[in-house]
């Protein structure tokens, strides 16, 4: 639960396999064993790369490619 302001508790931008996902983390359906990597970009770096969409941070999830 968030004890700070609503602004600082907003959800980050989620990107899965290069596509922006308009969901909260709990709504993203990915099997943990299918995840290849997770990258987190925070602060001004996220905002510079992703604009206003990244103002609350960015979580980039890459899944393993299937043969």
């Amino acid at each position: 639960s968030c004890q700070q302001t609503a602004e600082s508790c907003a959800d980050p931008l989620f990107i899965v396999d290069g596509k922006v996902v308009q969901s909260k983390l709990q709504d993203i359906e990915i099997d943990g064993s299918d995840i290849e990597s997770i990258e987190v970009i925070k602060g001004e770096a996220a905002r510079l790369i992703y604009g206003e969409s990244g103002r609350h941070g960015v979580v980039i999830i890459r899944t393993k490619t299937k043969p």
Side-chain angles (χ1 to χ4, degrees), residues 2-65:
C2 187
Q3 304 277 317
Q4 301 169 356
T5 66
E7 178 70 14
S8 65
C9 296
D11 289 325
L13 175 68
F14 288 97
I15 300 175
V16 178
D17 292 332
K19 296 178 185 169
V20 173
V21 177
Q22 302 292 336
S23 301
K24 294 183 180 269
L25 179 59
Q26 61 268 24
D27 297 333
I28 298 174
E29 295 183 23
I30 299 175
D31 186 322
S33 63
D34 289 337
I35 295 174
E36 181 174 306
S37 67
I38 298 175
E39 179 181 358
V40 177
I41 304 173
K42 304 188 299 183
E44 192 60 25
R47 188 179 226 142
L48 285 171
I49 297 168
Y50 293 97
E52 281 302 303
S53 298
R55 71 187 174 279
H56 300 295
V58 180
V59 177
I60 301 170
I61 302 170
R62 290 180 190 85
T63 59
K64 298 174 184 170
T65 56

